[in-house]
Amino acid sequence: MSQTIEREAEHCARNYRPLPVVLTRGEGVFVWDDAGKKYLDMMSAYSAVSHGHAHPRLVELVRRQVGELNIVSRAFHTDKLGPFLERACELTGQDKALPMNTGAEAVETALKAARKWAYTVKGVPEDAAEIITCTGNFHGRTIAIVAMSDEPQYRAGFGPFPPGFRMVEYGNIDALESAIGEHTAALLIEPIQGEGGIVLPPKGYLEAALSLCRERNVLLIADEIQTGLGRTGKLLACEHEGVKPDGLILGKALGGGILPVSMFLSRKDVMDVFTPGDHGSTFGGNPLAAAVGLEALNILVDERLAERSAEMGAYLLAALGKIDSPMIREVRGAGLFVGIDIDPAHGTAREVCEALLARGLLSKETHETVVRLAPPLTISRAEIDWAIEQISDVIAELDAIRLAS
Ligand SMILES: *Cc1c(COP(=O)(O)O)cnc(C)c1O
């Protein structure tokens, strides 16, 4: 083990198990380690780096803004917040936005909005509001958020948990219909599950969920922290089914791969439940983050990143689908959001990721059995071709080793 890794291990909490590489520089789709070795980044920080590392427009903007004004808190107005939120609303079709920093904070904001909307608009009795979530969900790591999870490791040792959450099977519309009651405030849902293993619900599910929610006066809140902003080949993954959610959560790529920037967006009547003092964040909506967020959105449009994601993702998916190996159970995804499902009888996703790392390709397993491929949306066809070659070689090698033993 390198000294750098040992030093980190000595003092850093063991809440992650990083692959054994020390990164020191990033540019576009590539990162370099401390020995100067170059890697193609097909993980892009769980989709936070959709714009690529150190996008020149963002670097230039940060250089300028950082010398102007950075943090003032929301106790004052700034010239940067309005234009950023206006653009975000315009692109997503929402009326208003509440800026935060990390994804989990924006999810918490959505939960608060849904509950208060239930009490003040829908007329749910005090403290009785329910929020429905789905099996296999991932919405972050706060206590309330892990209370909504069915992943034992996310919860173990962290109770007691706040009540008011109810879980239904992801993709099962009948289960959703019977779970909705008079006290249901919202359905919180990922249009495609990311940490759950790149799981796509059956076609038509989201649309059906929306009409159910409309019928029963329940908010549909889409967590698009990972799927949003072009990742799945549309600006929002909800657009694949023509669904406009009542509430929308963005994060990750909203910070352009530079800063943590997140927000909760919604219809006016939902957002208007917040009054001064209800909710806040010292850093949320700061001028540096707002400037970066606005530029990140503009780059997304100018460089047609969603369209590129659709095109390149379809190409990647088709090529991976042609790899013939007992290790691969399924290849699935949308846009540049692709999972290779590894059959546990024939191997682990971790060993695939480690072999890819040795060849200079960064990816990360999720849930032991899925290799996640989510490169910056700026990736070129030649770079994808190189990645496909590495992946098929690695799978063939691992197959050969297994056959020999
Ligand atoms: C990453 C993620 C979050 C949490 O975001 P953080 O910035 O890590 O707090 C929430 N929801 C989804 C769908 C995510 O992928």
Side-chain angles (χ1 to χ4, degrees), residues 266-311:
S266 73
R267 283 197 328 242
K268 189 174 179 306
D269 68 301
V270 178
M271 198 64 83
D272 283 351
V273 302
F274 288 116
T275 60
D278 278 0
H279 185 50
S281 161
T282 304
F283 292 103
N286 70 73
L288 182 62
V292 164
L294 175 59
E295 190 71 348
L297 291 174
N298 287 335
I299 290 169
L300 210 71
V301 174
D302 295 346
E303 297 189 3
R304 304 177 61 251
L305 292 184
E307 292 87 339
R308 286 182 66 150
S309 172
E311 207 178 298

mmCIF file of all heavy atoms in Angstrom, residues 266-311:
data_model
loop_
_atom_site.group_PDB
_atom_site.id
_atom_site.type_symbol
_atom_site.label_atom_id
_atom_site.label_comp_id
_atom_site.label_asym_id
_atom_site.label_seq_id
_atom_site.Cartn_x
_atom_site.Cartn_y
_atom_site.Cartn_z
ATOM 1 N N SER A 266 -40.146 23.260 -7.299
ATOM 2 C CA SER A 266 -41.533 22.789 -7.286
ATOM 3 C C SER A 266 -42.480 23.819 -7.862
ATOM 4 O O SER A 266 -42.082 24.921 -8.234
ATOM 5 C CB SER A 266 -41.971 22.454 -5.857
ATOM 6 O OG SER A 266 -42.157 23.653 -5.134
ATOM 7 N N ARG A 267 -43.758 23.396 -7.880
ATOM 8 C CA ARG A 267 -44.856 24.314 -8.204
ATOM 9 C C ARG A 267 -44.910 25.405 -7.147
ATOM 10 O O ARG A 267 -44.526 25.199 -6.005
ATOM 11 C CB ARG A 267 -46.186 23.552 -8.121
ATOM 12 C CG ARG A 267 -46.476 22.665 -9.257
ATOM 13 C CD ARG A 267 -47.956 22.299 -9.279
ATOM 14 N NE ARG A 267 -48.595 22.209 -7.971
ATOM 15 C CZ ARG A 267 -49.143 21.089 -7.488
ATOM 16 N NH1 ARG A 267 -49.098 19.959 -8.170
ATOM 17 N NH2 ARG A 267 -49.729 21.091 -6.317
ATOM 18 N N LYS A 268 -45.453 26.530 -7.559
ATOM 19 C CA LYS A 268 -45.541 27.679 -6.647
ATOM 20 C C LYS A 268 -46.296 27.344 -5.356
ATOM 21 O O LYS A 268 -45.840 27.663 -4.266
ATOM 22 C CB LYS A 268 -46.223 28.829 -7.392
ATOM 23 C CG LYS A 268 -46.198 30.149 -6.650
ATOM 24 C CD LYS A 268 -46.755 31.262 -7.527
ATOM 25 C CE LYS A 268 -46.770 32.596 -6.798
ATOM 26 N NZ LYS A 268 -47.461 32.559 -5.497
ATOM 27 N N ASP A 269 -47.445 26.673 -5.485
ATOM 28 C CA ASP A 269 -48.278 26.429 -4.292
ATOM 29 C C ASP A 269 -47.600 25.499 -3.298
ATOM 30 O O ASP A 269 -47.932 25.492 -2.111
ATOM 31 C CB ASP A 269 -49.666 25.896 -4.686
ATOM 32 C CG ASP A 269 -49.593 24.502 -5.272
ATOM 33 O OD1 ASP A 269 -48.894 24.320 -6.294
ATOM 34 O OD2 ASP A 269 -50.221 23.592 -4.702
ATOM 35 N N VAL A 270 -46.657 24.689 -3.770
ATOM 36 C CA VAL A 270 -45.908 23.823 -2.851
ATOM 37 C C VAL A 270 -44.799 24.638 -2.179
ATOM 38 O O VAL A 270 -44.682 24.654 -0.949
ATOM 39 C CB VAL A 270 -45.308 22.609 -3.591
ATOM 40 C CG1 VAL A 270 -44.488 21.755 -2.632
ATOM 41 C CG2 VAL A 270 -46.414 21.776 -4.250
ATOM 42 N N MET A 271 -44.018 25.346 -2.978
ATOM 43 C CA MET A 271 -42.889 26.092 -2.407
ATOM 44 C C MET A 271 -43.364 27.196 -1.467
ATOM 45 O O MET A 271 -42.675 27.539 -0.502
ATOM 46 C CB MET A 271 -42.030 26.698 -3.521
ATOM 47 C CG MET A 271 -40.653 27.106 -3.063
ATOM 48 S SD MET A 271 -39.636 25.718 -2.506
ATOM 49 C CE MET A 271 -39.003 25.123 -4.064
ATOM 50 N N ASP A 272 -44.550 27.725 -1.741
ATOM 51 C CA ASP A 272 -45.038 28.833 -0.929
ATOM 52 C C ASP A 272 -45.420 28.435 0.501
ATOM 53 O O ASP A 272 -45.780 29.287 1.305
ATOM 54 C CB ASP A 272 -46.201 29.536 -1.638
ATOM 55 C CG ASP A 272 -45.689 30.447 -2.765
ATOM 56 O OD1 ASP A 272 -44.449 30.640 -2.852
ATOM 57 O OD2 ASP A 272 -46.505 30.940 -3.550
ATOM 58 N N VAL A 273 -45.318 27.143 0.832
ATOM 59 C CA VAL A 273 -45.554 26.765 2.232
ATOM 60 C C VAL A 273 -44.406 27.268 3.122
ATOM 61 O O VAL A 273 -44.582 27.420 4.326
ATOM 62 C CB VAL A 273 -45.736 25.235 2.437
ATOM 63 C CG1 VAL A 273 -46.888 24.715 1.603
ATOM 64 C CG2 VAL A 273 -44.453 24.465 2.156
ATOM 65 N N PHE A 274 -43.251 27.520 2.521
ATOM 66 C CA PHE A 274 -42.119 28.019 3.310
ATOM 67 C C PHE A 274 -42.272 29.510 3.575
ATOM 68 O O PHE A 274 -42.576 30.282 2.667
ATOM 69 C CB PHE A 274 -40.799 27.788 2.576
ATOM 70 C CG PHE A 274 -40.356 26.352 2.530
ATOM 71 C CD1 PHE A 274 -40.263 25.678 1.321
ATOM 72 C CD2 PHE A 274 -40.018 25.665 3.693
ATOM 73 C CE1 PHE A 274 -39.840 24.353 1.274
ATOM 74 C CE2 PHE A 274 -39.600 24.339 3.657
ATOM 75 C CZ PHE A 274 -39.515 23.675 2.438
ATOM 76 N N THR A 275 -42.059 29.894 4.833
ATOM 77 C CA THR A 275 -42.047 31.321 5.185
ATOM 78 C C THR A 275 -40.710 31.627 5.864
ATOM 79 O O THR A 275 -40.017 30.699 6.314
ATOM 80 C CB THR A 275 -43.217 31.675 6.128
ATOM 81 O OG1 THR A 275 -43.080 30.886 7.312
ATOM 82 C CG2 THR A 275 -44.571 31.383 5.493
ATOM 83 N N PRO A 276 -40.321 32.882 5.947
ATOM 84 C CA PRO A 276 -38.990 33.215 6.485
ATOM 85 C C PRO A 276 -38.738 32.598 7.856
ATOM 86 O O PRO A 276 -39.564 32.745 8.764
ATOM 87 C CB PRO A 276 -39.024 34.746 6.562
ATOM 88 C CG PRO A 276 -39.964 35.152 5.470
ATOM 89 C CD PRO A 276 -41.028 34.078 5.455
ATOM 90 N N GLY A 277 -37.616 31.886 7.961
ATOM 91 C CA GLY A 277 -37.254 31.250 9.223
ATOM 92 C C GLY A 277 -37.589 29.770 9.300
ATOM 93 O O GLY A 277 -37.102 29.069 10.171
ATOM 94 N N ASP A 278 -38.423 29.267 8.347
ATOM 95 C CA ASP A 278 -38.838 27.863 8.355
ATOM 96 C C ASP A 278 -37.701 26.895 8.122
ATOM 97 O O ASP A 278 -37.693 25.772 8.626
ATOM 98 C CB ASP A 278 -39.821 27.610 7.201
ATOM 99 C CG ASP A 278 -41.230 28.012 7.558
ATOM 100 O OD1 ASP A 278 -41.438 28.487 8.679
ATOM 101 O OD2 ASP A 278 -42.123 27.839 6.700
ATOM 102 N N HIS A 279 -36.788 27.297 7.273
ATOM 103 C CA HIS A 279 -35.802 26.352 6.752
ATOM 104 C C HIS A 279 -34.663 27.162 6.177
ATOM 105 O O HIS A 279 -34.896 28.291 5.733
ATOM 106 C CB HIS A 279 -36.460 25.502 5.650
ATOM 107 C CG HIS A 279 -35.585 24.412 5.103
ATOM 108 N ND1 HIS A 279 -34.915 23.526 5.905
ATOM 109 C CD2 HIS A 279 -35.275 24.057 3.833
ATOM 110 C CE1 HIS A 279 -34.241 22.679 5.144
ATOM 111 N NE2 HIS A 279 -34.437 22.986 3.883
ATOM 112 N N GLY A 280 -33.454 26.628 6.173
ATOM 113 C CA GLY A 280 -32.357 27.412 5.624
ATOM 114 C C GLY A 280 -31.060 26.653 5.542
ATOM 115 O O GLY A 280 -30.998 25.459 5.858
ATOM 116 N N SER A 281 -30.037 27.357 5.100
ATOM 117 C CA SER A 281 -28.711 26.794 4.962
ATOM 118 C C SER A 281 -27.723 27.946 4.853
ATOM 119 O O SER A 281 -27.921 28.859 4.052
ATOM 120 C CB SER A 281 -28.645 25.937 3.698
ATOM 121 O OG SER A 281 -27.309 25.740 3.294
ATOM 122 N N THR A 282 -26.688 27.932 5.673
ATOM 123 C CA THR A 282 -25.702 29.018 5.659
ATOM 124 C C THR A 282 -25.074 29.186 4.273
ATOM 125 O O THR A 282 -24.925 30.292 3.773
ATOM 126 C CB THR A 282 -24.583 28.735 6.677
ATOM 127 O OG1 THR A 282 -25.190 28.548 7.954
ATOM 128 C CG2 THR A 282 -23.580 29.882 6.741
ATOM 129 N N PHE A 283 -24.735 28.050 3.659
ATOM 130 C CA PHE A 283 -24.017 28.116 2.386
ATOM 131 C C PHE A 283 -24.937 28.019 1.173
ATOM 132 O O PHE A 283 -24.517 28.326 0.059
ATOM 133 C CB PHE A 283 -22.969 26.997 2.315
ATOM 134 C CG PHE A 283 -21.834 27.183 3.296
ATOM 135 C CD1 PHE A 283 -21.773 26.439 4.468
ATOM 136 C CD2 PHE A 283 -20.837 28.109 3.043
ATOM 137 C CE1 PHE A 283 -20.732 26.600 5.369
ATOM 138 C CE2 PHE A 283 -19.781 28.275 3.937
ATOM 139 C CZ PHE A 283 -19.736 27.527 5.105
ATOM 140 N N GLY A 284 -26.167 27.539 1.377
ATOM 141 C CA GLY A 284 -27.068 27.305 0.247
ATOM 142 C C GLY A 284 -27.288 28.562 -0.573
ATOM 143 O O GLY A 284 -27.635 29.605 -0.040
ATOM 144 N N GLY A 285 -27.088 28.473 -1.882
ATOM 145 C CA GLY A 285 -27.341 29.596 -2.771
ATOM 146 C C GLY A 285 -26.290 30.677 -2.717
ATOM 147 O O GLY A 285 -26.522 31.794 -3.184
ATOM 148 N N ASN A 286 -25.097 30.361 -2.176
ATOM 149 C CA ASN A 286 -24.056 31.400 -2.117
ATOM 150 C C ASN A 286 -23.646 31.821 -3.531
ATOM 151 O O ASN A 286 -23.795 31.053 -4.487
ATOM 152 C CB ASN A 286 -22.869 30.934 -1.268
ATOM 153 C CG ASN A 286 -22.063 29.839 -1.924
ATOM 154 O OD1 ASN A 286 -21.338 30.069 -2.876
ATOM 155 N ND2 ASN A 286 -22.226 28.617 -1.416
ATOM 156 N N PRO A 287 -23.144 33.063 -3.672
ATOM 157 C CA PRO A 287 -22.895 33.579 -5.027
ATOM 158 C C PRO A 287 -21.889 32.763 -5.839
ATOM 159 O O PRO A 287 -22.062 32.631 -7.047
ATOM 160 C CB PRO A 287 -22.377 35.003 -4.788
ATOM 161 C CG PRO A 287 -22.270 35.197 -3.326
ATOM 162 C CD PRO A 287 -22.984 34.085 -2.642
ATOM 163 N N LEU A 288 -20.894 32.187 -5.197
ATOM 164 C CA LEU A 288 -19.953 31.362 -5.963
ATOM 165 C C LEU A 288 -20.672 30.124 -6.512
ATOM 166 O O LEU A 288 -20.569 29.798 -7.698
ATOM 167 C CB LEU A 288 -18.771 30.939 -5.076
ATOM 168 C CG LEU A 288 -17.697 30.102 -5.770
ATOM 169 C CD1 LEU A 288 -17.037 30.866 -6.915
ATOM 170 C CD2 LEU A 288 -16.635 29.629 -4.769
ATOM 171 N N ALA A 289 -21.429 29.452 -5.645
ATOM 172 C CA ALA A 289 -22.166 28.257 -6.060
ATOM 173 C C ALA A 289 -23.221 28.598 -7.116
ATOM 174 O O ALA A 289 -23.427 27.842 -8.071
ATOM 175 C CB ALA A 289 -22.823 27.602 -4.845
ATOM 176 N N ALA A 290 -23.887 29.734 -6.933
ATOM 177 C CA ALA A 290 -24.935 30.126 -7.885
ATOM 178 C C ALA A 290 -24.334 30.436 -9.254
ATOM 179 O O ALA A 290 -24.891 30.060 -10.289
ATOM 180 C CB ALA A 290 -25.699 31.341 -7.354
ATOM 181 N N ALA A 291 -23.178 31.088 -9.244
ATOM 182 C CA ALA A 291 -22.516 31.396 -10.516
ATOM 183 C C ALA A 291 -22.085 30.107 -11.218
ATOM 184 O O ALA A 291 -22.276 29.941 -12.424
ATOM 185 C CB ALA A 291 -21.306 32.299 -10.270
ATOM 186 N N VAL A 292 -21.536 29.182 -10.435
ATOM 187 C CA VAL A 292 -21.099 27.896 -10.993
ATOM 188 C C VAL A 292 -22.316 27.116 -11.508
ATOM 189 O O VAL A 292 -22.297 26.553 -12.611
ATOM 190 C CB VAL A 292 -20.329 27.070 -9.929
ATOM 191 C CG1 VAL A 292 -20.213 25.615 -10.329
ATOM 192 C CG2 VAL A 292 -18.935 27.672 -9.710
ATOM 193 N N GLY A 293 -23.391 27.091 -10.718
ATOM 194 C CA GLY A 293 -24.593 26.359 -11.118
ATOM 195 C C GLY A 293 -25.193 26.900 -12.410
ATOM 196 O O GLY A 293 -25.586 26.132 -13.291
ATOM 197 N N LEU A 294 -25.250 28.196 -12.527
ATOM 198 C CA LEU A 294 -25.805 28.810 -13.748
ATOM 199 C C LEU A 294 -24.946 28.452 -14.956
ATOM 200 O O LEU A 294 -25.466 28.051 -16.002
ATOM 201 C CB LEU A 294 -25.889 30.338 -13.583
ATOM 202 C CG LEU A 294 -26.333 31.108 -14.825
ATOM 203 C CD1 LEU A 294 -27.714 30.649 -15.284
ATOM 204 C CD2 LEU A 294 -26.345 32.622 -14.557
ATOM 205 N N GLU A 295 -23.641 28.554 -14.792
ATOM 206 C CA GLU A 295 -22.748 28.224 -15.911
ATOM 207 C C GLU A 295 -22.855 26.730 -16.253
ATOM 208 O O GLU A 295 -22.835 26.355 -17.428
ATOM 209 C CB GLU A 295 -21.306 28.620 -15.566
ATOM 210 C CG GLU A 295 -20.325 28.551 -16.719
ATOM 211 C CD GLU A 295 -20.504 29.636 -17.781
ATOM 212 O OE1 GLU A 295 -21.530 30.335 -17.754
ATOM 213 O OE2 GLU A 295 -19.614 29.761 -18.651
ATOM 214 N N ALA A 296 -22.977 25.892 -15.225
ATOM 215 C CA ALA A 296 -23.121 24.447 -15.466
ATOM 216 C C ALA A 296 -24.368 24.174 -16.307
ATOM 217 O O ALA A 296 -24.340 23.372 -17.239
ATOM 218 C CB ALA A 296 -23.185 23.689 -14.144
ATOM 219 N N LEU A 297 -25.471 24.858 -16.000
ATOM 220 C CA LEU A 297 -26.712 24.682 -16.773
ATOM 221 C C LEU A 297 -26.524 25.189 -18.203
ATOM 222 O O LEU A 297 -26.958 24.538 -19.162
ATOM 223 C CB LEU A 297 -27.873 25.421 -16.097
ATOM 224 C CG LEU A 297 -28.354 24.842 -14.768
ATOM 225 C CD1 LEU A 297 -29.407 25.749 -14.135
ATOM 226 C CD2 LEU A 297 -28.917 23.432 -14.952
ATOM 227 N N ASN A 298 -25.872 26.334 -18.336
ATOM 228 C CA ASN A 298 -25.668 26.895 -19.678
ATOM 229 C C ASN A 298 -24.772 26.002 -20.535
ATOM 230 O O ASN A 298 -25.039 25.812 -21.721
ATOM 231 C CB ASN A 298 -25.087 28.310 -19.579
ATOM 232 C CG ASN A 298 -26.139 29.309 -19.107
ATOM 233 O OD1 ASN A 298 -27.339 29.085 -19.290
ATOM 234 N ND2 ASN A 298 -25.708 30.395 -18.494
ATOM 235 N N ILE A 299 -23.755 25.421 -19.929
ATOM 236 C CA ILE A 299 -22.863 24.516 -20.672
ATOM 237 C C ILE A 299 -23.644 23.291 -21.141
ATOM 238 O O ILE A 299 -23.497 22.835 -22.272
ATOM 239 C CB ILE A 299 -21.663 24.092 -19.790
ATOM 240 C CG1 ILE A 299 -20.734 25.289 -19.569
ATOM 241 C CG2 ILE A 299 -20.901 22.930 -20.414
ATOM 242 C CD1 ILE A 299 -19.660 25.057 -18.513
ATOM 243 N N LEU A 300 -24.490 22.798 -20.255
ATOM 244 C CA LEU A 300 -25.317 21.633 -20.577
ATOM 245 C C LEU A 300 -26.108 21.859 -21.867
ATOM 246 O O LEU A 300 -26.202 20.987 -22.739
ATOM 247 C CB LEU A 300 -26.293 21.429 -19.414
ATOM 248 C CG LEU A 300 -26.761 20.039 -19.103
ATOM 249 C CD1 LEU A 300 -25.638 19.234 -18.507
ATOM 250 C CD2 LEU A 300 -27.913 20.122 -18.108
ATOM 251 N N VAL A 301 -26.682 23.053 -21.980
ATOM 252 C CA VAL A 301 -27.479 23.400 -23.160
ATOM 253 C C VAL A 301 -26.568 23.670 -24.356
ATOM 254 O O VAL A 301 -26.760 23.114 -25.434
ATOM 255 C CB VAL A 301 -28.362 24.636 -22.855
ATOM 256 C CG1 VAL A 301 -29.085 25.111 -24.111
ATOM 257 C CG2 VAL A 301 -29.360 24.307 -21.752
ATOM 258 N N ASP A 302 -25.542 24.504 -24.156
ATOM 259 C CA ASP A 302 -24.657 24.887 -25.268
ATOM 260 C C ASP A 302 -23.956 23.687 -25.892
ATOM 261 O O ASP A 302 -23.769 23.628 -27.105
ATOM 262 C CB ASP A 302 -23.586 25.889 -24.790
ATOM 263 C CG ASP A 302 -24.193 27.209 -24.353
ATOM 264 O OD1 ASP A 302 -25.375 27.453 -24.664
ATOM 265 O OD2 ASP A 302 -23.484 28.001 -23.690
ATOM 266 N N GLU A 303 -23.540 22.749 -25.057
ATOM 267 C CA GLU A 303 -22.790 21.596 -25.569
ATOM 268 C C GLU A 303 -23.689 20.397 -25.845
ATOM 269 O O GLU A 303 -23.189 19.308 -26.129
ATOM 270 C CB GLU A 303 -21.657 21.222 -24.593
ATOM 271 C CG GLU A 303 -20.636 22.344 -24.460
ATOM 272 C CD GLU A 303 -19.380 21.947 -23.674
ATOM 273 O OE1 GLU A 303 -19.238 20.778 -23.265
ATOM 274 O OE2 GLU A 303 -18.527 22.837 -23.470
ATOM 275 N N ARG A 304 -24.996 20.602 -25.760
ATOM 276 C CA ARG A 304 -25.981 19.539 -26.052
ATOM 277 C C ARG A 304 -25.616 18.237 -25.326
ATOM 278 O O ARG A 304 -25.590 17.161 -25.916
ATOM 279 C CB ARG A 304 -26.064 19.309 -27.560
ATOM 280 C CG ARG A 304 -26.404 20.584 -28.348
ATOM 281 C CD ARG A 304 -26.417 20.379 -29.859
ATOM 282 N NE ARG A 304 -27.429 19.392 -30.268
ATOM 283 C CZ ARG A 304 -27.146 18.166 -30.718
ATOM 284 N NH1 ARG A 304 -25.906 17.760 -30.813
ATOM 285 N NH2 ARG A 304 -28.128 17.366 -31.063
ATOM 286 N N LEU A 305 -25.333 18.355 -24.024
ATOM 287 C CA LEU A 305 -24.840 17.195 -23.295
ATOM 288 C C LEU A 305 -25.895 16.096 -23.150
ATOM 289 O O LEU A 305 -25.565 14.915 -23.175
ATOM 290 C CB LEU A 305 -24.292 17.614 -21.922
ATOM 291 C CG LEU A 305 -23.007 18.464 -21.974
ATOM 292 C CD1 LEU A 305 -22.488 18.739 -20.576
ATOM 293 C CD2 LEU A 305 -21.924 17.788 -22.807
ATOM 294 N N ALA A 306 -27.164 16.475 -23.037
ATOM 295 C CA ALA A 306 -28.213 15.452 -22.928
ATOM 296 C C ALA A 306 -28.313 14.658 -24.230
ATOM 297 O O ALA A 306 -28.402 13.420 -24.214
ATOM 298 C CB ALA A 306 -29.553 16.102 -22.588
ATOM 299 N N GLU A 307 -28.264 15.355 -25.364
ATOM 300 C CA GLU A 307 -28.336 14.685 -26.660
ATOM 301 C C GLU A 307 -27.128 13.766 -26.856
ATOM 302 O O GLU A 307 -27.249 12.642 -27.348
ATOM 303 C CB GLU A 307 -28.394 15.711 -27.799
ATOM 304 C CG GLU A 307 -29.686 16.527 -27.867
ATOM 305 C CD GLU A 307 -29.664 17.787 -27.003
ATOM 306 O OE1 GLU A 307 -28.853 17.865 -26.043
ATOM 307 O OE2 GLU A 307 -30.457 18.702 -27.283
ATOM 308 N N ARG A 308 -25.958 14.281 -26.474
ATOM 309 C CA ARG A 308 -24.747 13.460 -26.589
ATOM 310 C C ARG A 308 -24.846 12.217 -25.726
ATOM 311 O O ARG A 308 -24.415 11.129 -26.121
ATOM 312 C CB ARG A 308 -23.522 14.270 -26.136
ATOM 313 C CG ARG A 308 -23.109 15.314 -27.126
ATOM 314 C CD ARG A 308 -21.883 16.018 -26.645
ATOM 315 N NE ARG A 308 -20.735 15.100 -26.602
ATOM 316 C CZ ARG A 308 -19.487 15.491 -26.791
ATOM 317 N NH1 ARG A 308 -19.227 16.741 -27.033
ATOM 318 N NH2 ARG A 308 -18.499 14.625 -26.719
ATOM 319 N N SER A 309 -25.407 12.392 -24.535
ATOM 320 C CA SER A 309 -25.572 11.264 -23.621
ATOM 321 C C SER A 309 -26.465 10.203 -24.254
ATOM 322 O O SER A 309 -26.172 8.998 -24.190
ATOM 323 C CB SER A 309 -26.169 11.760 -22.306
ATOM 324 O OG SER A 309 -26.504 10.689 -21.473
ATOM 325 N N ALA A 310 -27.555 10.633 -24.911
ATOM 326 C CA ALA A 310 -28.481 9.696 -25.551
ATOM 327 C C ALA A 310 -27.757 8.917 -26.650
ATOM 328 O O ALA A 310 -27.836 7.681 -26.729
ATOM 329 C CB ALA A 310 -29.681 10.456 -26.127
ATOM 330 N N GLU A 311 -27.017 9.646 -27.458
ATOM 331 C CA GLU A 311 -26.343 9.051 -28.611
ATOM 332 C C GLU A 311 -25.224 8.100 -28.180
ATOM 333 O O GLU A 311 -25.168 6.945 -28.590
ATOM 334 C CB GLU A 311 -25.750 10.220 -29.399
ATOM 335 C CG GLU A 311 -25.553 10.008 -30.865
ATOM 336 C CD GLU A 311 -25.002 11.302 -31.468
ATOM 337 O OE1 GLU A 311 -25.701 12.336 -31.396
ATOM 338 O OE2 GLU A 311 -23.857 11.266 -31.952
#
